[in-house]
């Protein structure tokens, strides 16, 4: 018999009729000769409703009690679905996360799965039972072995399902939802978003962590690390949906499902150069003009960073391979001659990045990376981050020293360290999908001391309050007083606590001040072909400029370009970027 794990989300279980329809679908799979482990979310908007109830009692509800409350949502679904299956004559049994042996960390509200003790599940499967397991929850063994109910974080049922598939060696994990699969962007906002037949786990990880709610990013990470075949499809029809593909298979032992080291690997890219344009005009079209002329000049740009503007001027900094520096410099000089501003460059640099979905929601990780570099006396020239990757540009001579101390701190073995990774060009599209994240605000800390340890202090101050920073951008511009600016985004919910903590910190730095930006959204284009295609960033910036949308901040990684723009333009921007890459014509690859 083939073992399948099937997960049904809240939208697929919104009513009794839907639960009966899901039971019918499970019966069909069963009749086709499969063994089934079914994972379910809470019905419809139950989790939102429970959260609202709690907020009516307390502004900051106690984390343990919150897990106790939210876990009830899934318990309703498992029992009702089991009843519906029994009505169809299918032997079925419901299990909570605890009963299913899902062991997690003790961090309430964001617990990671440590292991799944599969004995009970396997025994029940041997007895011919169909198992209906509550997603999104588990149990921590607690201090002194006292069990506590934990939850994994919003959207976490996907993670429960993939973790079960990995632990049980299931043939496949199918995520059933209210859309036909993974689309080029959110179909609720872009009407002509197209279904992708397949997408790589790396691309999906970026999209999922930057707003594409269709999959929980940690589920993607587990599928990638354990080689789980993961498919996303509609619970309304019988079409094929989207298959996630990955190159790395079974590289981790089964023990630590969301293995305890939050960092998957470290990458060092040598022979990098930085070009910094400063005091250039801050208006729509400048970034487009710059990156269009670079691409016309044959320059392939890697990281691009634009911190928040100062008065009506802006800085844009980017990295290129050292051998492209002269060409890049010439192109920039031509532009500066017409628009004004200054240009500087530096070669002999190394880009160092740590990555892994475990970085998400763990603010201490970026902070300890910066602290490690600072302890080794290494100044960070540039920082660029996504939720799953933190990149720093440092002096080349310090590369090996940095590598040694970082691999020690994050306990990375040789297999996890890549020097000058070679990206395989498989003629993938430059942009496969676009995500919109409306849940962030932008903050800048102006005039911070330009010396090792500053970024680390900001991050650790927030990490102590369990606040995560995203899209951290350290400007290249040094003010006359040898200070710099650091900008970042953070979750809207964390706004007031972050402000309080930062104000206390910067009171130690003379002349430093906090600046909250306007309401913003993050919009990110993702594609594995991006590193091999010149001009992707230019196209995005042009599409925004044509709509007179100014870009507040830019941050990129190899396969992603993120722009931070005013909230009011978010949906329009998503539509224009979608059509500038002709994604509505996507006939899927
Ligand atoms: P479930 O309840 O099944 O877990 P979710 O609401 O968590 O469903 O996720 C499905 C939703 O994700 C879709 O209704 C869609 O609006 C949204 N979404 C955002 N980006 C994408 C995308 N790229 N592809 C498909 N759906 C997306
Ligand atoms: N019910 C939980 C939530 O709404 C988990 C999930 O749906 O995946 O976040
Ligand atoms: Mg979901």
């Amino acid at each position: 018999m083939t073992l399948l794990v099937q997960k049904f989300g809240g939208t697929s279980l919104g009513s009794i009729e839907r639960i009966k329809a899901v039971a019918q679908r499970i019966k069909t799979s069963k009749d086709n000769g499969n063994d089934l482990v079914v994972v379910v979310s809470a019905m419809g908007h139950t989790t939102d409703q429970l959260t609202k109830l709690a907020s009516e009692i307390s502004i900051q509800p106690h984390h343990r009690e919150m897990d106790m409350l939210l876990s009830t949502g899934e318990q309703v679904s498992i029992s009702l679905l089991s009843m519906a299956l029994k009505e169809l004559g299918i032997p079925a049994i419901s299990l909570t996360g605890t009963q299913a042996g899902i062991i997690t960390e003790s961090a309430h509200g964001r617990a990671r799965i440590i292991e799944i003790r599969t004995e009970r599940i396997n025994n029940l499967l041997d007895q011919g039972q169909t198992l209906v397991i509550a997603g999104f929850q588990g149990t921590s063994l607690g201090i002194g072995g006292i069990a506590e109910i934990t939850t994994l974080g919003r959207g976490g049922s996907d993670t429960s399902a993939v973790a079960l598939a990995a632990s049980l060696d299931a043939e496949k994990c199918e995520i059933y939802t209210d859309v036909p699969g993974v689309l080029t962007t959110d179909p609720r906002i872009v009407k002509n978003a197209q279904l992708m037949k397949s997408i790589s786990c790396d691309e999906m990880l970026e999209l999922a962590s930057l707003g594409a709610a269709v999959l929980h990013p940690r589920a993607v990470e587990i599928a990638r690390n354990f080689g789980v075949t993961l498919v996303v499809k509609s619970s309304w029809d019988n079409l094929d949906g989207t298959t996630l593909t990955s190159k790395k298979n079974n590289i981790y032992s089964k023990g630590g499902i969301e293995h305890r080291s939050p960092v998957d690997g470290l990458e060092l890219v040598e022979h990098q150069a930085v070009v910094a344009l400063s005091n250039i005009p801050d208006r729509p079209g400048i970034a487009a003009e710059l990156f269009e002329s670079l691409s016309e000049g044959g320059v392939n740009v890697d990281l691009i960073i634009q911190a928040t503007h100062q008065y009506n001027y802006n800085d844009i900094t980017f990295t290129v391979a050292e051998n492209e520096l002269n060409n890049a410099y010439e192109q920039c000089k031509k532009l500066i001659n017409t628009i004004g501003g200054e240009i500087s460059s530096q070669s002999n640099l190394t880009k160092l990045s740590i990555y892994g979905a475990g970085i998400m929601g763990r603010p201490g990780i970026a902070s300890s990376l910066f602290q490690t570099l600072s302890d080794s006396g290494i100044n960070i020239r540039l920082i660029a981050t996504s939720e799953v990757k933190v990149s720093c540009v440092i002096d080349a001579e310090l590369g090996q020293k940095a590598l040694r101390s970082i691999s020690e701190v994050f306990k990375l073995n040789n297999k996890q360290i890549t020097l000058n990774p070679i990206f395989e060009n498989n003629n993938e599209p430059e942009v496969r999908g676009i995500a919109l994240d409306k849940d962030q605000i932008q903050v800048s800390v102006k005039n911070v001391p330009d010396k090792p340890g500053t970024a680390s202090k900001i991050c650790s101050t927030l990490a102590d309050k369990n606040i995560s920073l995203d899209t951290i951008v350290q400007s290249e511009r040094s003010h006359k007083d040898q200070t710099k600016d650091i900008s970042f985004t953070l979750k809207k919910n964390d706004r007031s606590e972050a402000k309080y903590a930062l104000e206390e910190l910067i009171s130690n730095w003379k002349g430093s001040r906090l600046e909250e930006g306007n309401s913003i959204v993050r919009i990110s284009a993702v594609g594995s072909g991006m590193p091999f295609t010149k001009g992707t960033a230019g196209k995005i910036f042009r599409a925004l400029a044509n709509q007179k949308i100014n870009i507040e901040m830019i941050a990129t990684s190899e396969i992603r370009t993120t722009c931070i723009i005013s909230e009011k333009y978010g949906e329009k921007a998503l539509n224009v970027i979608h059509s500038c890459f002709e994604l509505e014509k996507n006939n899927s690859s």
Side-chain angles (χ1 to χ4, degrees), residues 7-13 41-42 44-45 154-158 175-189 193-196 199 204 207-208 211-216 232-233 235-236 242 432-436 574:
K7 178 253 167 179
F8 295 89
T11 42
S12 306
L13 299 163
S41 299
H45 298 290
R154 296 304 305 269
S157 297
D158 300 334
I175 306 282
Y176 287 91
T177 182
D178 64 341
V179 282
V182 180
L183 307 183
T184 47
T185 192
D186 191 338
R188 286 186 212 178
I189 306 175
Q194 299 293 310
L195 177 69
M196 302 182 206
I199 181 170
M204 192 64 226
L207 285 173
V214 65
L215 270 180
H216 199 230
V232 183
K233 46 166 77 175
S235 61
W236 267 261
T242 306
R432 296 292 307 281
I434 307 167
L436 180 69
L574 194 67

Side-chain angles (χ1 to χ4, degrees), residues 7-11 40-48 70 73-74 135-137 153-160 216:
K7 178 253 167 179
F8 295 89
T11 42
V40 292
S41 299
M43 287 175 70
H45 298 290
T46 304
T47 314
D48 290 335
L70 295 189
E74 272 66 17
F136 175 61
Q137 57 176 263
R154 296 304 305 269
S157 297
D158 300 334
T159 295
S160 311
H216 199 230

